[in-house]
Structure formats: structure tokens, C-alpha cells
């Protein structure tokens, strides 16, 4: 087992996986060797994407190439060297880290084999659970898991929650770790705060939470993702 590590890049790029709600499998780039499929039961190198946000759109990159919607003219592929209109997706947050992706043709990305941008509305096959903060590379055989700490139970508290604009968020945990990394993301997956501490408590300043909505706070201790709602 291992700990999830955020690959922050320029602060707006994260390493993510996408799991389709409709068939409970992960999206694969197929390493650019053919049409993309959503049929993997675990996360390897081909199932991990660089998620880069620009405004309300996101581009997805794997193995040095970008995902293309093909404007709905054929199966999706991950083989573009640069980002154009077909490689940008408007993201719609459906709650609880679940997103729909609207393509350049105005239709939605669908899971399945092969994947296509051809749905007129959002159902379960057009909803994808996004997991943030994966390490940049793991082997194809390794499966995403949360580490187990022998004979140790880490207890976290976070308060107040929900909060109002202008409020700080307070965290504490036990037992004390040698060093703990706390990272906060907004609902679009952008990193808005990170702090390493050797204490067992932390105050996340109010300016971290600039907009109303849901924020996610990850911990390096056990990979869990905590939620904070800004009213």
C-alpha cells in the first residue's frame, strides 16, 4: 500500500482517475493506441490523467497526449499533441466529486467501449467520479488502494462545517504523525491550499474558501478526502 501524492504542477493540474457511475469501471486512454474505453476494474498508468483547468473547461492528458472528443464524429481518442476545441471539455459538477463532461459538439461524454461524445442528456453513463491527487505513475498491475497503518487508527476532526464566507476551518487529529500534508481543492479540482505540519492541529485560513460550494481536503496520513461546505 502507499499514500496518495498530489502532483501539483503549476497549481492547476492534478493527477486524477475517472470512474463511470453507470458501469463502475475506469476510463482508459489505451495509451493512444486505439479508441478509448471505459472498462477497467483498477487504475494503472493508462487510467491516470493530468487534469488541467482553464476557466470552466478542462483538458485531460495521458502519456504525453491529450484526450479528444473527435467532435462526436467517432470514438474518443487520446492522441493529440496540443489542445484545441475538441480537446476542451466543459465540466458540470453533480456533487460528491461526480462530474459530467460536455464536448465541443454540445453533447456529453459517455462511458462504455468505445467511449463517445454523443449523449444529449446526463444519465449514469455520463457521470464520472473523479479521484484527485494520485501519484503520477504506477505500474499497470497496481490497483488504487488506501494504506493501512498497523495497530493505528487516525482520528480527524474538522470544524466548523459547514462554514460561512470569511470563516477559518480548524483541524486536529491523533495520534501525531512525523509530518502531515494537508491539501485543499475546490470543486473543480484546483489546489487552493497546502501545508506541511509536524503538529496535530491546523488552521486553514478563510481566504482559502473564496467561493460558496464544496471543497475537498486531503490528508497524507491515510489518503482520506474530507469535505467542507461553504454556505
Amino acid at each position: 500500500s502507499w499514500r496518495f501524492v498530489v502532483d501539483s504542477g503549476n497549481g492547476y493540474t492534478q493527477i486524477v482517475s475517472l470512474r463511470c457511475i453507470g458501469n463502475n469501471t475506469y476510463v482508459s486512454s489505451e495509451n493512444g493506441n486505439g479508441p478509448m474505453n471505459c472498462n477497467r476494474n483498477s487504475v494503472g498508468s493508462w487510467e491516470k490523467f493530468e487534469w488541467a483547468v482553464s476557466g470552466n473547461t478542462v483538458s485531460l492528458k495521458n502519456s504525453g497526449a491529450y484526450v479528444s472528443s473527435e467532435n462526436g464524429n467517432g470514438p474518443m481518442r487520446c492522441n493529440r499533441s496540443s489542445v484545441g476545441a475538441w480537446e476542451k471539455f466543459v465540466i458540470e459538477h453533480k456533487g460528491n466529486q461526480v462530474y459530467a463532461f460536455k464536448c465541443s459538439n454540445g453533447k456529453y461524454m459517455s462511458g462504455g467501449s468505445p467511449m463517445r461524445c454523443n449523449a444529449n442528456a446526463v444519465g449514469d453513463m455520463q457521470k464520472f467520479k473523479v479521484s484527485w491527487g494520485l501519484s503520477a505513475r504506477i505500474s499497470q498491475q497496481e490497483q488504487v488502494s488506501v494504506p493501512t497503518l498497523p495497530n493505528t487508527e487516525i482520528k480527524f476532526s474538522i470544524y466548523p462545517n459547514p462554514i460561512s464566507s470569511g470563516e477559518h476551518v480548524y483541524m486536529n487529529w491523533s495520534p501525531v504523525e512525523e509530518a502531515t500534508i494537508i491539501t485543499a481543492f475546490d470543486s473543480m479540482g484546483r489546489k487552493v491550499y497546502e501545508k506541511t505540519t509536524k503538529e496535530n492541529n491546523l488552521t486553514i485560513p478563510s481566504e482559502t474558501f473564496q467561493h460558496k460550494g464544496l471543497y475537498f481536503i486531503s490528508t497524507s496520513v491515510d489518503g482520506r478526502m474530507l469535505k467542507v461546505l461553504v454556505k
Side-chain angles (χ1 to χ4, degrees), residues 1-12:
S1 62
W2 63 90
R3 294 176 180 176
F4 289 158
V5 179
V6 173
D7 186 326
S8 59
N10 61 8
Y12 290 87

Side-chain angles (χ1 to χ4, degrees), residues 42-55:
S42 61
V43 175
S45 299
W46 295 0
E47 291 72 51
K48 298 170 70 176
F49 297 86
E50 296 180 21
W51 166 290
V53 172
S54 177

